[in-house]
Amino acid sequence: MRDRELYAKILGLPEPWLVVDVELDVAGKSVVVRLGRSADSTLACPECGRSCPGYDTQPRRWRHLDTCQYSTVLEADVPRCSCPEHGVKQVKVPWAEPGSRFTALFERLAIDWMQEAGRSATARQLRLSWSEADGIMQRAVDRGLARRPETLTPVLGVDEKSFQGREFVTVVCDLDGGTVLHVADGRGSEALKSCYEAMTAAQRDAVEAVAMDMHQPYVLATQKALPEATIVFDKFHIAKLAGEAVDQVRRAEAKKLAAEGDDRLKGTRYSWLRNPLEEDAQQRQEFEPLRKSNLKTARAWAIKETLMDFFRYSQVKRASDFFRSWFSWASRSKLRPILRLAHTLKSRLGMLLNYCKWPITNAASEALNSKIQWIKYTARGFRSREGYRRAIYFHCGDLELYPQSF
Ligand SMILES: [Zn+2]
C-alpha cells in the first residue's frame, strides 16, 4: 500500500477530500500529510449548507495524532465560498472544528488525558503549550454546555469554593446526580443570582429544595429567584460553626489555666473538634477525663454535641421542642461564643427546621468536593478565576466534551 493510500485509509477521509502527498521529515521527526479536494467537488456554505461558488483558498494546518514517534500534521488549502446570504465563508472540514488548530481526534486524546491528569501534565506529555491545552479545554466546555440537555433538578446544593487563598467561586450542583450545574465568580448574592438566571424558568420551577451554608447573600438570592424552594442549612456547616464556638471557649480558658500553671488544655484542640463517633478506643480513653471535667470547654463541648441531635428529628414539633430546651441550656451557659451561636441559630430556626422535611446536606456531593480539591491541587495556582471555573465544569459537569469528527 502506498503512503497516500495508507493515510487516506487511517484518516478515514470522506469525499471529496483525499490525500495528495505525505512527507516524512526524519530529522525533524514529523510527518506532513497534504490533503486536497477532488476537482469536481462542490462547495457548501457552512451556515446554510447551500451550494455556492468558490471564492479563494486559505492554507491551514492541524496537529493530528502522532504517527508512531513522529508528530503528524495535516495541511490543506481550504476553500472559501461566497454565499449570497452569508457572504464569504470558509467551508467546514470533516477532521476539525472551525477555528481549531488540532484535529478532532487529537482534541479527543487531549480531553481524555486532561480528565485523567489535568491540564498542566497533559500539556507536558503531549508537547502543548499551557494555553493550547487551555484552549482545548475551553472549547470542550463550551460545546459541552451548549449541548447540555435541559434537565430538571429538584434538589440543589450551593457551596463556595476557594482558590488562591482569598478568591472564591460559587458552585451550584445537582445533589442527586452529583454533578456541577453552574459555577460563578465570587460568593455574593450576585454570583448565585447569575447561576439561577442561567437556568430556564422550567428548571427554576422544578427546584424543591436547596442545601447551603448559613450565608445570608445565598439565602437572599435564593428567596428572590426561587421563592417556592425550601432552603435547608447544611448541618456540617452548623457543626463547624459550633466547633468554632467551642474552640473560642477553649482558647480563652487554656490561656487562663496556663497562667495558673495548669496545662490540661494544652494541645487538645483537635480532641474537642473531632466527631466522637470517629474516635478510636485510645483517643476516647485519653479524652474522657477532660470531657467529664468541670472545665468551661467541656461544658461548651457538651452543648455543641447535644445540638447535633437536633438533626435526628423528622417531626417539626419534636425538633422545635428539642431546640427550645437546648437554647435555654445554651443561653444559661454564660459562655459568650456559645450564646452568640445560640442566638444565631434561633434567628434562623425556621430554616433549620426545614431539615426535618428535607434531610439534605452538601456532603452528598462529597465525591464532587474531593474532585474540586484535586482540580485545585493539580492546577497549582490558576492563572484566572475563569480557568478555575472552566476546570470545574470540565471535570465535574458530566458534559459531552468531545468534538464531532468523521
Ligand atoms: Zn449561506
Side-chain angles (χ1 to χ4, degrees):
M1 196 183 276
R2 300 272 312 270
D3 48 5
R4 277 184 297 176
E5 291 165 38
L6 174 73
Y7 271 95
K9 201 106 190 156
I10 57 180
L11 288 171
L13 283 180
E15 294 272 325
W17 291 97
L18 39 92
V19 175
V20 290
D21 191 24
V22 178
E23 199 182 298
L24 176 65
D25 175 0
V26 177
K29 287 205 163 178
S30 71
V31 179
V32 177
V33 183
R34 238 193 111 67
L35 307 176
R37 295 166 63 95
S38 52
D40 55 348
S41 65
T42 54
L43 301 175
C45 166
E47 303 287 329
C48 61
R50 171 184 333 191
S51 289
C52 301
Y55 183 79
D56 63 0
T57 60
Q58 289 182 318
R60 297 271 320 265
R61 284 167 72 86
W62 300 264
R63 176 154 172 213
H64 190 51
L65 302 174
D66 290 356
T67 306
C68 301
Q69 71 273 43
Y70 291 81
S71 70
T72 302
V73 170
L74 308 188
E75 268 185 10
D77 289 329
V78 181
R80 291 200 296 173
C81 66
S82 173
C83 174
E85 194 185 336
H86 298 100
V88 173
K89 294 272 171 189
Q90 188 164 75
V91 303
K92 281 185 190 156
V93 294
W95 55 85
E97 295 213 323
S100 176
R101 289 188 291 120
F102 302 96
T103 66
L105 283 174
F106 184 87
E107 291 204 23
R108 283 176 82 106
L109 174 76
I111 288 167
D112 286 345
W113 274 115
M114 284 195 282
Q115 283 186 316
E116 297 278 341
R119 217 167 343 191
S120 310
T122 300
R124 280 194 302 278
Q125 292 303 319
L126 296 181
R127 306 182 308 277
L128 294 167
S129 69
W130 197 91
S131 63
E132 285 173 332
D134 190 54
I136 291 174
M137 181 179 276
Q138 183 172 353
R139 281 194 296 280
V141 169
D142 288 347
R143 73 173 81 88
L145 289 174
R147 284 176 191 162
R148 188 162 65 169
E150 188 193 317
T151 43
L152 304 180
T153 41
V155 187
L156 299 181
V158 173
D159 212 352
E160 57 184 43
K161 299 285 173 205
S162 68
F163 80 105
Q164 289 180 349
R166 276 168 301 194
E167 299 270 348
F168 288 90
V169 296
T170 293
V171 175
V172 175
C173 65
D174 166 9
L175 284 186
D176 292 330
T179 57
V180 166
L181 300 174
H182 302 282
V183 190
D185 276 351
R187 57 169 167 175
S189 246
E190 285 301 312
L192 185 54
K193 185 178 161 211
S194 75
C195 296
Y196 290 143
E197 281 171 353
M199 295 161 67
T200 63
Q203 284 176 319
R204 283 194 294 269
D205 286 346
V207 178
E208 294 179 48
V210 187
M212 64 176 72
D213 290 357
M214 281 198 304
H215 181 50
Q216 197 59 11
Y218 285 168
V219 173
L220 293 175
T222 304
Q223 284 173 331
K224 192 143 192 219
L226 312 174
E228 303 294 322
T230 304
I231 293 174
V232 183
F233 289 135
D234 183 71
K235 75 168 176 181
F236 296 103
H237 178 239
I238 290 166
K240 191 167 158 252
L241 286 181
E244 282 162 11
V246 174
D247 199 48
Q248 284 169 24
V249 174
R250 180 197 60 82
R251 281 207 305 263
E253 192 173 32
K255 210 166 160 187
K256 191 162 166 280
L257 290 182
E260 297 161 5
D262 179 346
D263 63 355
R264 268 183 295 167
L265 284 173
K266 204 176 158 205
T268 64
R269 175 163 190 236
Y270 292 101
S271 304
W272 301 105
L273 291 179
R274 74 178 167 235
N275 181 348
L277 297 174
E278 285 165 10
E279 285 176 336
D280 61 34
Q282 195 194 344
Q283 286 173 327
R284 192 169 312 143
Q285 211 180 3
E286 283 172 8
F287 189 36
E288 192 75 1
L290 266 184
R291 197 149 62 181
K292 288 191 167 161
S293 69
N294 58 1
L295 291 173
K296 285 179 182 170
T297 311
R299 195 146 36 99
W301 179 85
I303 292 171
K304 174 211 156 190
E305 288 302 319
T306 306
L307 169 66
M308 296 322 286
D309 286 343
F310 173 85
F311 296 98
R312 295 183 183 194
Y313 292 96
S314 56
Q315 290 175 21
V316 173
K317 168 83 173 68
R318 289 191 165 196
S320 159
D321 289 346
F322 173 89
F323 185 83
R324 201 169 312 123
S325 66
W326 177 84
F327 180 83
S328 117
W329 179 27
S331 49
R332 280 182 279 112
S333 70
K334 296 189 186 127
L335 304 168
R336 291 187 92 137
I338 295 292
L339 270 168
R340 269 200 300 274
L341 171 75
H343 283 283
T344 304
L345 295 179
K346 194 181 178 196
S347 69
R348 313 274 164 83
L349 184 59
M351 284 181 202
L352 282 171
L353 289 168
N354 288 339
Y355 187 83
C356 297
K357 185 170 173 226
W358 287 99
I360 51 172
T361 81
N362 274 335
S365 55
E366 202 51 61
L368 225 49
N369 287 333
S370 46
K371 227 173 190 177
I372 293 175
Q373 279 304 112
W374 174 83
I375 292 169
K376 232 170 18 178
Y377 174 73
T378 51
R380 286 190 198 87
F382 276 87
R383 301 194 175 184
S384 67
R385 243 191 288 207
E386 185 53 39
Y388 184 46
R389 285 177 47 198
R390 192 146 61 228
I392 294 176
Y393 277 124
F394 183 85
H395 291 285
C396 308
D398 193 25
L399 300 172
E400 249 188 79
L401 299 167
Y402 291 146
Q404 307 284 357
S405 66
F406 40 56

